[in-house]
Amino acid sequence: MIYLNYTNLDSETQERLLSMSKKEVENRFGKQLKSYAQQHYVNYDTLLEEEAIRNLYNYNFVFNM
């Protein structure tokens, strides 16, 4: 679970969450994503960012108001 303050949903916080998600995706699926990117001639960084955004939907967020 990720605990967030409702008043702190600025772009900096969003970038931090995306960065955390990218690290998690890269740790879990980095080799598979690199292999897929090479086989299908896709930019690895773009693929990683798309997967990180998708991964954010798996997080459980708790908002403190």
Side-chain angles (χ1 to χ4, degrees), residues 11-47:
S11 61
E12 184 178 315
T13 303
Q14 292 176 18
E15 286 298 319
R16 183 175 52 87
L17 289 172
L18 184 59
S19 174
M20 288 171 43
S21 182
K22 278 184 185 179
K23 288 177 187 176
E24 183 179 334
V25 167
E26 195 164 28
N27 286 338
R28 283 189 188 175
F29 308 111
K31 291 180 183 178
Q32 295 169 342
L33 289 175
K34 285 180 184 178
S35 175
Y36 179 86
Q38 288 176 348
Q39 289 176 357
H40 298 282
Y41 305 103
V42 178
N43 184 343
Y44 174 73
D45 293 327
T46 304
L47 183 62

Side-chain angles (χ1 to χ4, degrees), residues 3-4 6-7 10 12 16 25 28 35-36 38 41 57 59 63 65:
Y3 292 89
L4 295 174
Y6 185 74
T7 60
D10 57 0
E12 184 178 315
R16 183 175 52 87
V25 167
R28 283 189 188 175
S35 175
Y36 179 86
Q38 288 176 348
Y41 305 103
Y57 289 103
Y59 286 172
F63 294 97
M65 294 184 181

Side-chain angles (χ1 to χ4, degrees), residues 41-61:
Y41 305 103
V42 178
N43 184 343
Y44 174 73
D45 293 327
T46 304
L47 183 62
L48 180 62
E49 186 161 344
E50 289 173 358
E51 290 299 323
I53 291 170
R54 244 184 245 132
N55 186 49
L56 284 173
Y57 289 103
N58 293 329
Y59 286 172
N60 291 322
F61 295 99

